[in-house]
Amino acid sequence: MPRPLVAIIDIAALQHNLHVARQQAPAAHLWAVVKANAYGHGLERGMRGFAAADGLALVEPDAAVRLRELGWTKPILLLEGCFDAIDFKLAALHGVEVAIHSSQQIGWLEQTRFEAPINVHLKMNSGMNRLGFMPVDFAAAYQRLRSHRSVGSISLMTHFANADQSDPPALPMAEQLRRFHIGSLGIDAPVSLANSAALLQHHDLVSNQVRPGIMLYGATPSAKPAARLGLRSAMTLQSELIGIQHILPGEAVGYGSRFVADAPMTIGVVACGYADGYPRHAPTGTPVLVDGVRTRLIGNVSMDMLTVDLTPIATAHHGSCVTLWGDALPIDEVAQAAGTIGYELMCAIAPRVRMTER
């Protein structure tokens, strides 16, 4: 028998969330982001769930090739572009579009012989200060690309640092837009601006192309609950109770003995730990469902197990269903309790965790 821990992927929820994203910008070319193995949901499942997207975007060249092998015929975009000159040949061979964020990448492109033109997405650093050309250098980079006979279409892109916040003092979205418009002044090309947060919270943003990511998987890029945004959870992490202990006041639970009972307690042991991707730093009090009843994590998370308070659940028994996150327990709520974000929990799901679909 397999270990009872399983991640259940809801393909219909992926399709629903894509529809929500489409409604935010119905006229835009929609790139569904499937990097990091479709945010932990599986590349092939992401491809099926987002079959109605205009294209798929990711960062891993080998995964882009895998999408072609799986039968994806629509556009594919490498969001970080090529990591070496040889990647351009790979991209051209499989009809993959690439981001261009540095002079080095342009140099690699210029050194490569192409059988057919390659479409590129020129990235500006408008304040995120990770990848991209500074606004003052953007027009020159565009002209350098435009003059190369192997370059097909050129789109302009940037990435927002704080689209999930209404008015951040450090770098407002309006300031990034101002820099983008100044740097791209006079360039007639499609623009790609909106990530999930911008799509959901900035409806006046004009973007020919959009790049939703986290919202497609049913989590929120902002403080507003995903359900209130019309999104459905696409992953349920579910396990079972594999042990029950009855302890007295003063007895401790788990490594480090950091949780000490102040009253008689019933403790449930769950087949899930940090080696499965559950956050080791999740504190006592992190929400968990046992047979649909809300309770709490207690003590330190172990490699293969965690412990929960069964005191308020008199009917709990060996084999009771435990939901770590999913439909009835938003992943964002678990992430917030653990001091992290839903993105990390999804992407951290370990290979040993079984995956099924519904």
Side-chain angles (χ1 to χ4, degrees), residues 281-300:
H281 53 275
T284 291
T286 299
V288 179
L289 301 182
V290 177
D291 286 340
V293 180
R294 179 178 288 250
T295 184
R296 58 177 179 147
L297 173 78
I298 60 171
N300 281 347

Side-chain angles (χ1 to χ4, degrees), residues 17 22 26 42 50 59 63 117 134 151 153 158-159 161 169 175-176 220 239 257 263 285 316 336 348 353 357-358:
N17 296 334
R22 178 77 77 185
F50 308 137
V59 301
M134 299 301 290
V151 173
S153 68
T158 195
H159 193 63
E175 172 59 19
Q176 286 196 257
T220 178
S239 190
S257 301
Q336 183 177 18
V353 177
E357 297 177 17
R358 67 176 177 206

Side-chain angles (χ1 to χ4, degrees), residues 37-202:
N37 196 28
Y39 286 52
H41 292 65
L43 191 64
E44 188 269 344
R45 295 184 189 90
M47 186 186 80
R48 287 190 285 119
F50 308 137
D54 299 307
L56 299 179
L58 67 174
V59 301
E60 306 92 349
D62 57 335
V65 174
R66 180 61 181 150
L67 285 172
R68 291 295 188 221
E69 292 172 345
L70 288 168
W72 182 263
T73 58
K74 295 181 185 180
I76 298 173
L77 168 61
L78 288 174
L79 290 167
E80 293 177 4
C82 296
F83 301 102
D84 194 271
I86 197 170
D87 290 340
F88 277 101
K89 283 188 175 294
L90 191 72
L93 178 64
H94 295 280
V96 174
E97 303 183 22
V98 299
I100 296 287
H101 60 75
S102 68
S103 294
Q104 184 176 46
Q105 288 180 326
I106 297 180
W108 289 337
L109 185 151
E110 291 171 337
Q111 297 165 20
T112 305
R113 295 182 61 183
F114 296 95
E115 297 299 324
I118 185 169
N119 296 335
V120 303
H121 298 246
L122 183 61
K123 187 165 190 175
M124 182 190 295
N125 174 11
S126 59
M128 186 77 158
N129 289 324
R130 296 191 312 188
L131 301 177
F133 291 89
M134 299 301 290
V136 68
D137 301 317
F138 197 68
Y142 175 84
Q143 291 303 327
R144 188 175 169 188
L145 288 170
R146 189 68 289 165
S147 64
H148 197 288
R149 66 173 180 267
S150 293
V151 173
S153 68
I154 303 176
S155 299
L156 314 182
M157 66 187 298
T158 195
H159 193 63
F160 297 121
N162 300 307
D164 57 330
Q165 302 173 45
S166 58
D167 192 22
L171 184 62
M173 183 172 153
E175 172 59 19
Q176 286 196 257
L177 279 171
R178 186 189 70 82
R179 297 177 187 180
F180 180 80
H181 289 147
I182 290 174
S184 60
L185 190 66
I187 300 176
D188 183 16
V191 298
S192 174
L193 301 176
N195 55 7
S196 290
L199 263 179
L200 291 167
Q201 298 184 220
H202 301 274

